[in-house]
Amino acid sequence: MSKYAPLREYLKRQKLSEVILTFGEIEDIIDAPLPKNAGTHQWWANIVNPEPGRVQREAWRAAGYDAFLLPRSRVKFQKVG
């Protein structure tokens, strides 16, 4: 099971088309710290990439969301479609 599976399950339960979470809230959900590079836009990129190791992207995409890094260590998850 992926470290980010709890985030996927959290997002699947959401009824809103947009969910904004702080890094701290995400860390509480996954019960682990985010990596240092989570502060970069590339880490939250929604591009489908054949490069392995992007389990975080697979988590929010499997829940039907795209992710967007916001100022002040926040992330907007927006439903796709």
Side-chain angles (χ1 to χ4, degrees):
M1 173 161 54
S2 163
K3 166 182 173 177
Y4 300 98
L7 178 61
R8 180 189 64 231
E9 295 308 313
Y10 174 88
L11 290 171
K12 280 185 173 181
R13 291 191 304 270
Q14 302 309 303
K15 304 293 184 217
L16 300 172
S17 62
E18 183 177 296
V19 177
I20 296 176
L21 298 172
T22 66
F23 280 15
E25 290 169 325
I26 295 168
E27 290 172 336
D28 287 345
I29 291 167
I30 65 172
D31 195 29
L34 289 168
K36 289 183 183 193
N37 62 344
T40 67
H41 288 279
Q42 184 173 354
W43 198 85
W44 298 98
N46 298 295
I47 300 166
V48 177
N49 189 338
E51 172 185 330
R54 299 295 184 173
V55 293
Q56 75 275 15
R57 181 183 310 134
E58 294 168 15
W60 64 73
R61 297 289 293 177
Y65 285 84
D66 277 341
F68 304 93
L69 182 62
L70 299 175
R72 299 190 317 264
S73 299
R74 296 175 305 141
V75 180
K76 175 173 73 172
F77 295 96
Q78 190 167 353
K79 280 220 188 224
V80 176

